Amino acid sequence: AQRVTQPEKLLSVFKGAPVELKCNYSYSGSPELFWYVQYSRQRLQLLLRHISRESIKGFTADLNKGETSFHLKKPFAQEEDSAMYYCALSNSGYALNFGKGTSLLVTP
Amino acid sequence: NAGVTQTPKFRVLKTGQSMTLLCAQDMNHEYMYWYRQDPGMGLRLIHYSVGEGTTAKGEVPDGYNVSRLKKQNFLLGLESAAPSQTSVYFCASSYQAGAQPQHFGDGTRLSIL
């Protein structure tokens, strides 16, 4: 069975500190993984997908098949990064399987 | 280009009442989805559609029905609302399945008293 685990419900860091939001998955096939972000009072939006290997708003995420992880990282957190972050896995079918989310709070 | 539009944005119902949530997308996407978002639970898939005239059950389909009569619209119905259905409902669409990102609406906040 496929599963996405985000072990931290809440992560609080100071502005300028590095941040890592953890995501682990279980899936028997070749996973397609995403990070979605939801800022306060805004719609959920795509932040990153692993096939793109891009950096968005300073965030990066590397797929580690050996550790079955897709952690989201940023070297220097900004206050505007405060949001809810969801890791999601796409199965070979149609739907996304979301983790329960991590609320990131960046304090000055 | 509005993307994904959900109506209504807020609604309060009494237990046993029925209602329909409307989702409309103007991106000519084939795939549409309904999720519910609950604190500590993340987003859970209720139903989805892979094209006009098709629907399929997701993770938590009980108590909901859906219809996709037109490609651009995906309706979510609650026949007899229950307090356990109090949630924020999100509609999403995507061009294809798999690695294609999903585009989300603003959500509908539904309270069942």
Side-chain angles (χ1 to χ4, degrees), chain B residues 13-88:
Chain B
L13 292 177
K14 294 181 179 178
T15 298
Q17 286 185 315
S18 63
M19 80 161 295
T20 300
L21 281 65
L22 172 63
C23 176
Q25 54 94 4
D26 60 4
M27 296 172 284
N28 201 34
H29 285 171
E30 289 292 338
Y31 301 84
M32 297 187 74
Y33 315 84
W34 276 107
Y35 295 91
R36 59 177 291 173
Q37 183 185 42
D38 301 292
M41 299 295 292
L43 277 81
R44 293 180 292 170
L45 183 67
I46 305 172
H47 286 280
Y48 64 97
S49 168
V50 302
E52 180 178 320
T54 73
T55 63
K57 293 181 179 180
E59 181 185 354
V60 289
D62 294 341
Y64 305 95
N65 57 74
V66 288
S67 65
R68 183 97 181 268
L69 298 179
K70 294 183 178 180
K71 185 177 182 178
Q72 62 267 34
N73 295 336
F74 195 29
L75 279 63
L76 177 70
L78 285 75
E79 291 185 347
S80 180
S84 61
Q85 294 177 303
T86 293
S87 186
V88 180

Side-chain angles (χ1 to χ4, degrees), chain A residues 9 32 34 36 38 42-46 49 51 86 90-91 93-96 98-101, chain B residues 2 4 31 33 35 37 40-43 45 48 50 90 97-102 104-106:
Chain A
K9 285 187 178 180
E32 295 167 349
F34 305 80
Y36 281 81
Q38 186 177 28
Q42 294 188 24
R43 63 180 65 184
L44 206 67
Q45 57 188 287
L46 178 69
R49 47 180 164 170
I51 60 172
Y86 291 97
S90 175
N91 60 19
Y94 312 106
L96 285 175
F98 285 86
K100 294 184 178 181
Chain B
V4 178
Y31 301 84
Y33 315 84
Y35 295 91
Q37 183 185 42
M41 299 295 292
L43 277 81
L45 183 67
Y48 64 97
V50 302
F90 285 98
Q100 296 298 318
Q102 292 185 10
F104 284 81
D106 287 330

Side-chain angles (χ1 to χ4, degrees), chain A residues 16-28:
Chain A
V19 61
E20 180 180 66
L21 289 85
K22 291 183 168 53
C23 173
N24 290 92
Y25 67 90
S26 61
Y27 183 58
S28 58

